[in-house]
Amino acid sequence: MNEWITAYASVMGRSHEVTSQPCQDYCTVEVHEDYVVSIVCDGAGSCEHAQHGARFVAEFCVLYFIKHIEAIREIRLDGDDFQQAWRDIALKVLRATRDDLEKFGQDKDYEFKSLSCTVIAVVAFADRLFVTHIGDGRAGYLLLNQDWRSMIDPFSGEEANVTVFITSDIWSSSQGEQLIATNVISGPLQAYCLLTDGAESAAFECNLYDEEKDKYYDPNRPYGKFLDPNVSALQKMGSDNKTQEEINELWSAFLDSGNEVLREEPDDKTIVLVTTQRKDIN
Amino acid sequence: MFTGESPENFEQKCLCVLTVDVSGSMAGDAISQLNAGLEIFKNDVLNDFIAAKRLEVAIVTFGSKAVCIQQPASLKNFQMPNLTTSGTTKMVDGLKLAMDIVEQRKQYYNTTGQPYFRPMIVMISDGEPDPDQDISGVATSISKAIADKKFMFYSLGVDDYNHETMSRICSNPPPKPLRGHEFANFFKWLSNSIGIISKSREGQQITLPSTSSWEQVIL
């Protein structure tokens, strides 16, 4: 059996400090004996109540995924249809969350679109990851004896700051539903991370220049020199029996100004980092 | 202790095309203050860690003809020109050239795979366009481009500019009158605004800083 160790925080970006806008990111993590559910949401800057939308979506998604955990646990990866089986559950959960968000908006007299946010959700077991997402942000995973890889391809439009949200008109057509991504990854899990796009420059290689082709490109690659030391630090904190609160406080301070890129980032930043103390290899 | 180095990612681009009236009527204190304001703009942007990496500036001037005197480039990579005045006011030609530059630069960004924010055109003028200039035509083009989210447009009126004419060119947002020749304050405001715009999300109701430091209040 593994022991899960987690660090998660959302911190305000520099531009929000200047404009006195609240932090519109939200994240939540629920650790159970053999699985972890992690959700990261990024509220749309346009939207007056986006911080409420982000929090609502994160907290309700967690509850819904836990409610479906037995069905998720039973998905067999040796069949042909495990990707579809996960997709069916993920769509059901996200649609239910979206519908509840709409009711929440009606109760509060908030326009539905004012609650817009992106969402990345992961249900992780020791040997499988189930991921779904709407919008941008990044997610990566590390399997035993392998390099970091990305779990999702973030969505972006023609302009750099354009994306799709859980409140977007994507629910009534198969074309729209293509914008809701799902994936299942199997293998002995060491660690994974979920990020809002405010943290991507810090933790991912996402806009590099190829001199030979004279082109910029997005390799969508988790950056080991950022993530590995933090995974090690997190494992040590677990061994030292630091509380979740202590870990998150340190993580929050690091996300705020841990290096120059984090310090100067104008957008809100969220990173969920989860690692395991694998008892089977110790 | 958490620690970790970040990779060297390039920043998303943000293009600003300054479209400046250099007709004879801008001679004297107006052009002198405008030149000083451009230097302040450059220094303020270069002091903003993110804006310095994201912003590209192009400069179009219009007098008797419209000329692009600075192709889009990072402020680190060019000397601000010292503008001089002469001639009449080919305002519409200047705006059309600015719009062409926006389209060409966006194509370059797409071809080279560079993500970018919506570009902006900022027009500065004190005068009436020449009689042969098709104001209605350019107004239609600008209105359509704004509706199609091709670029953002701001205009600054100097001295006794014709507010009605400039409003016909673009009324949303309307032209803003400059108080005296307070270009320095205007360009400080512009560099702050670019900092905010370049860090915004799509559709965001951006709250730009107050214009009270440079805008003339009309009673």
Side-chain angles (χ1 to χ4, degrees):
Chain A
M1 196 60 70
N2 296 334
E3 180 188 340
W4 302 99
I5 311 158
T6 67
Y8 52 100
S10 297
V11 301
M12 193 184 295
R14 290 291 170 270
S15 70
H16 284 213
E17 288 172 6
V18 169
T19 59
S20 303
Q21 222 173 347
C23 180
Q24 293 174 310
D25 280 6
Y26 196 83
C27 60
T28 189
V29 175
E30 284 270 340
V31 178
H32 293 253
E33 196 176 330
D34 69 329
Y35 72 93
V36 181
V37 183
S38 310
I39 318 280
V40 154
C41 293
D42 183 354
S46 51
C47 298
E48 193 183 349
H49 305 293
Q51 70 274 22
H52 302 304
R55 180 172 184 159
F56 184 97
V57 168
E59 292 184 346
F60 271 75
C61 260
V62 156
L63 295 176
Y64 278 125
F65 278 120
I66 292 171
K67 194 172 157 187
H68 287 83
I69 200 65
E70 288 310 318
I72 298 169
R73 191 186 271 116
E74 283 169 12
I75 294 175
R76 293 178 60 88
L77 304 191
D78 54 0
D80 291 332
D81 59 353
F82 63 90
Q83 291 282 4
Q84 190 59 48
W86 162 239
R87 185 170 178 78
D88 289 342
I89 295 172
L91 286 180
K92 192 189 288 188
V93 165
L94 290 174
R95 186 182 285 276
T97 304
R98 178 244 173 248
D99 291 345
D100 281 353
L101 182 67
E102 191 171 34
K103 287 185 201 128
F104 169 75
Q106 286 161 357
D107 289 345
K108 293 280 187 188
D109 203 21
Y110 295 156
E111 203 182 307
F112 181 53
K113 298 275 185 179
S114 76
L115 294 160
S116 294
C117 66
T118 64
V119 55
I120 308 175
V122 166
V123 180
F125 296 84
D127 59 352
R128 288 157 293 159
L129 278 168
F130 298 87
V131 60
T132 184
H133 81 103
I134 299 173
D136 58 14
R138 307 271 172 171
Y141 67 99
L142 179 68
L143 300 182
L144 192 62
N145 298 324
Q146 292 189 21
D147 293 330
W148 281 92
R149 294 179 187 179
S150 63
M151 263 194 254
I152 65 169
D153 290 320
F155 174 84
S156 67
E158 181 193 337
E159 292 169 2
N161 49 351
V162 172
T163 190
V164 67
F165 305 104
I166 195 169
T167 49
S168 299
D169 299 325
I170 55 175
W171 297 98
S172 53
S173 70
S174 55
Q175 195 179 10
E177 280 194 358
Q178 293 307 312
L179 297 173
I180 304 165
T182 54
N183 196 12
V184 182
I185 294 155
S186 64
L189 184 64
Q190 280 266 238
Y192 69 89
C193 62
L194 309 186
L195 294 68
T196 57
D197 68 336
E200 66 182 15
S201 293
F204 267 64
E205 288 178 301
C206 50
N207 194 8
L208 304 183
Y209 178 61
D210 182 334
E211 274 189 37
E212 235 178 76
K213 295 180 184 170
D214 185 28
K215 279 191 97 133
Y216 295 80
Y217 67 105
D218 177 2
N220 190 23
R221 191 161 53 226
Y223 196 58
K225 290 182 184 179
F226 181 89
L227 293 164
D228 290 336
N230 287 313
V231 168
S232 299
L234 190 53
Q235 289 178 337
K236 182 161 190 319
M237 289 180 193
S239 304
D240 292 347
N241 293 314
K242 275 205 172 345
T243 65
Q244 190 64 61
E245 200 180 325
E246 286 169 334
I247 292 173
N248 284 353
E249 204 175 307
L250 290 166
W251 189 236
S252 183
F254 173 68
L255 292 192
D256 181 71
S257 50
N259 62 29
E260 187 175 53
V261 173
L262 289 167
R263 192 164 44 248
E264 298 293 342
E265 173 56 49
D267 198 2
D268 297 334
K269 294 159 283 186
T270 295
I271 302 183
V272 169
L273 184 64
V274 178
T275 186
T276 66
Q277 297 276 30
R278 293 188 68 95
K279 304 282 192 267
D280 57 349
I281 60 163
N282 287 337
Chain B
M1 184 75 185
F2 289 117
T3 184
E5 66 176 85
S6 292
E8 291 199 24
N9 286 303
F10 285 88
E11 289 288 340
Q12 300 138 342
K13 290 291 178 256
C14 180
L15 172 65
C16 175
V17 183
L18 297 174
T19 309
V20 184
D21 183 345
V22 294
S23 63
S25 58
M26 287 282 288
D29 191 59
I31 202 71
S32 169
Q33 294 298 329
L34 194 154
N35 281 325
L38 285 172
E39 286 295 336
I40 289 170
F41 174 63
K42 178 181 172 180
N43 289 334
D44 280 358
V45 169
L46 291 180
N47 283 330
D48 182 321
F49 184 84
I50 294 291
K53 292 183 180 185
R54 290 184 177 176
L55 184 65
E56 291 193 329
V57 173
I59 303 177
V60 167
T61 61
F62 57 92
S64 297
K65 55 180 182 172
V67 180
C68 177
I69 62 168
Q70 175 62 55
Q71 291 289 342
S74 162
L75 284 170
K76 291 186 229 183
N77 295 334
F78 71 83
Q79 293 276 76
M80 268 300 177
N82 189 49
L83 302 179
T84 57
T85 59
S86 73
T88 60
T89 312
K90 298 289 186 200
M91 181 186 289
V92 170
D93 293 351
L95 290 170
K96 284 183 179 174
L97 182 53
M99 288 192 277
D100 286 345
I101 288 168
V102 164
E103 274 317 297
Q104 286 160 17
R105 199 62 178 173
K106 282 164 73 172
Q107 276 178 31
Y108 168 72
Y109 291 149
N110 286 326
T111 305
T112 53
Q114 295 185 74
Y116 61 88
F117 293 91
R118 191 168 311 156
M120 72 187 82
I121 296 174
V122 178
M123 181 177 73
I124 301 170
S125 176
D126 74 334
E128 286 276 358
D130 290 353
D132 65 340
Q133 298 281 280
D134 179 11
I135 296 170
S136 297
V138 82
T140 301
S141 301
I142 290 173
S143 173
K144 184 172 188 311
I146 291 172
D148 291 343
K149 301 182 181 181
K150 299 281 186 196
F151 54 76
M152 296 179 282
F153 186 88
Y154 302 94
S155 55
L156 180 71
V158 183
D159 289 333
D160 296 323
Y161 76 103
N162 189 320
H163 185 83
E164 191 195 329
T165 299
M166 280 177 72
S167 295
R168 276 176 60 203
I169 289 171
C170 182
S171 60
N172 187 22
K176 296 275 194 184
L178 184 71
R179 185 168 58 236
H181 293 150
E182 295 198 28
F183 286 105
N185 287 337
F186 167 74
F187 279 110
K188 273 196 177 301
W189 172 88
L190 183 62
S191 65
N192 287 338
S193 301
I194 281 170
I196 292 169
I197 290 165
S198 70
K199 295 152 198 169
S200 66
R201 295 296 293 270
E202 190 267 339
Q204 185 170 349
Q205 280 178 336
I206 300 163
T207 304
L208 295 183
S210 164
T211 58
S212 60
S213 63
W214 55 266
E215 183 180 355
Q216 176 68 55
V217 175
I218 296 173
L219 298 173

